[in-house]
Amino acid sequence: MEYLENRIKRLLSEARQLEIKVAQHQIDWGEWEFKKENGHPPQYLLNGDEEFVSPFHEILQSIYLSTICYLDKQNLRHYLNILYQIFGDNPANLKHQDEFDIDHYWSGEPYSVFLAKMNKFLSSFEFTESSGEKHDRVSGLQYLETILKNTAVIISKNKISPKTETEVYSAVKSTLEFVFTSSKSPRSNFIKTAKEYKPDILIPELYTAVEYKYAADEQRLKSTIEQIAADVKGYTGDKDYSVFYAVFYVTEDFWGQNKFSKVWDDQGFPKNWIPIYIVGK
């Protein structure tokens, strides 16, 4: 698996090195076709096809095939079908391989539509993140955890006596919106056949969703953990969210941290689900 991850990263890097050259070559072709000063294209354009376009197509095809192999090995059939929808199912004639657009908002430079779509498609996988992006994300998650673990303090300072989980997460959400601006009006796509799952808090910039639970007695605490366990499979299918926090706000310390952790572990939650036990003040 590590070999494929490194191969995809290397191929993406090689494609980016050719991207501007291919874009400029396309512009040169467009200018010649507009003027058509003679019936035969100049040799430098034909040479450019061999020097830039052909190897660019070969690299894109290799990225496509390596990505299919990577998804196959991880048994990500749904995500593989999305790949086919975006890029087609014929590696010899990939969708978007000759498409270029202009980055009007930032650089003003042309860019490959294929690479832009592939980068977005692969962004759900940690191996595609740069070291700087990883550091920013880890730091962001640490800051988020600090805020979530201080839920009781936030509620106390706001002089709230919550009776529902909505009152709890609403107070925390107001605080999070000052820190993570993407949490103000996020969207998610956790939609299954019979139900739509809507996390209480979404933070797209951290690929993170937060679910709050409120318990005023021991039985309610137990049932909320079981409820989260039942809902875990529902929180799949949206590649924009890969980390999930389950925050349990209890009015009294019914179990203590050790027993809570044991009950949580007994449910066999996936590793990307992180529990936080909060005792109200």
Side-chain angles (χ1 to χ4, degrees):
M1 197 66 68
E2 184 179 353
Y3 166 78
L4 279 172
E5 292 177 348
N6 289 333
R7 175 175 171 78
I8 292 170
K9 286 194 294 184
R10 176 176 58 78
L11 289 168
L12 287 170
S13 177
E14 291 176 3
R16 283 192 288 269
Q17 291 175 27
L18 277 174
E19 184 177 15
I20 294 298
K21 294 178 181 178
V22 175
Q24 185 57 55
H25 182 65
Q26 281 199 353
I27 293 171
D28 292 342
W29 261 111
E31 290 177 349
W32 177 81
E33 289 178 346
F34 177 75
K35 295 177 181 178
K36 288 236 172 146
E37 296 174 348
N38 56 62
H40 301 285
Q43 190 61 42
Y44 77 89
L45 288 178
L46 299 177
N47 291 342
D49 285 349
E50 292 297 320
E51 186 178 356
F52 305 126
V53 178
S54 293
F56 187 67
H57 284 176
E58 289 177 8
I59 293 171
L60 297 189
Q61 187 178 107
S62 294
I63 293 171
Y64 173 85
L65 292 172
S66 296
T67 303
I68 288 176
C69 186
Y70 183 75
L71 297 175
D72 249 350
K73 283 182 175 293
Q74 299 213 59
N75 199 30
L76 297 173
R77 303 301 304 171
H78 179 66
Y79 214 42
L80 186 57
N81 287 331
I82 295 175
L83 178 79
Y84 292 141
Q85 291 172 23
I86 298 173
F87 301 104
D89 56 9
N90 181 5
N93 185 29
L94 295 172
K95 294 180 182 179
H96 313 298
Q97 68 176 359
D98 291 314
E99 291 181 33
F100 282 77
D101 204 345
I102 302 295
D103 183 0
H104 296 287
Y105 297 101
W106 299 102
S107 67
E109 298 288 336
Y111 66 90
S112 164
V113 173
F114 180 98
L115 284 178
K117 289 181 177 293
M118 182 60 77
N119 285 328
K120 185 174 183 179
F121 179 84
L122 292 170
S123 64
S124 295
F125 300 103
E126 185 179 2
F127 77 89
T128 63
E129 289 184 319
S130 68
S131 58
E133 289 172 330
K134 287 183 181 179
H135 178 269
D136 290 345
R137 188 182 177 200
V138 169
S139 298
L141 287 172
Q142 290 173 340
Y143 202 39
L144 171 62
E145 282 194 23
T146 298
I147 294 173
L148 296 180
K149 288 176 180 178
N150 279 280
T151 294
V153 176
I154 293 171
I155 288 174
S156 176
K157 288 189 174 182
N158 282 280
K159 298 180 180 179
I160 300 171
S161 298
K163 302 298 181 187
T164 65
E165 61 194 44
T166 301
E167 292 177 321
V168 175
Y169 75 70
S170 293
V172 177
K173 188 174 183 180
S174 298
T175 301
L176 288 172
E177 287 177 354
F178 288 106
V179 182
F180 305 104
T181 56
S182 65
S183 66
K184 290 183 179 179
S185 54
R187 296 180 180 180
S188 65
N189 190 33
F190 300 110
I191 300 175
K192 300 297 180 268
T193 303
K195 184 176 180 181
E196 179 178 0
Y197 292 82
K198 293 184 177 181
D200 297 321
I201 298 172
L202 293 168
I203 307 177
E205 65 199 83
L206 299 180
Y207 309 101
T208 299
V210 181
E211 186 74 13
Y212 265 87
K213 291 300 178 184
Y214 175 93
D217 57 63
E218 185 174 355
Q219 182 56 41
R220 176 60 181 165
L221 175 57
K222 182 175 182 294
S223 65
T224 56
I225 293 180
E226 293 171 347
Q227 182 183 346
I228 288 286
D231 285 349
V232 162
K233 290 184 178 179
Y235 288 107
T236 56
D238 191 326
K239 61 184 180 62
D240 291 330
Y241 300 96
S242 56
V243 178
F244 300 88
Y245 285 90
V247 184
F248 295 84
Y249 182 92
V250 296
T251 55
E252 296 179 34
D253 192 5
F254 303 116
W255 288 349
Q257 182 64 53
N258 289 338
K259 181 177 179 179
F260 171 81
S261 297
K262 178 66 169 58
V263 174
W264 175 270
D265 291 341
D266 288 346
Q267 292 290 337
F269 284 92
K271 291 182 179 179
N272 63 331
W273 276 82
I274 303 163
I276 296 178
Y277 181 70
I278 302 293
V279 179
K281 294 184 178 182

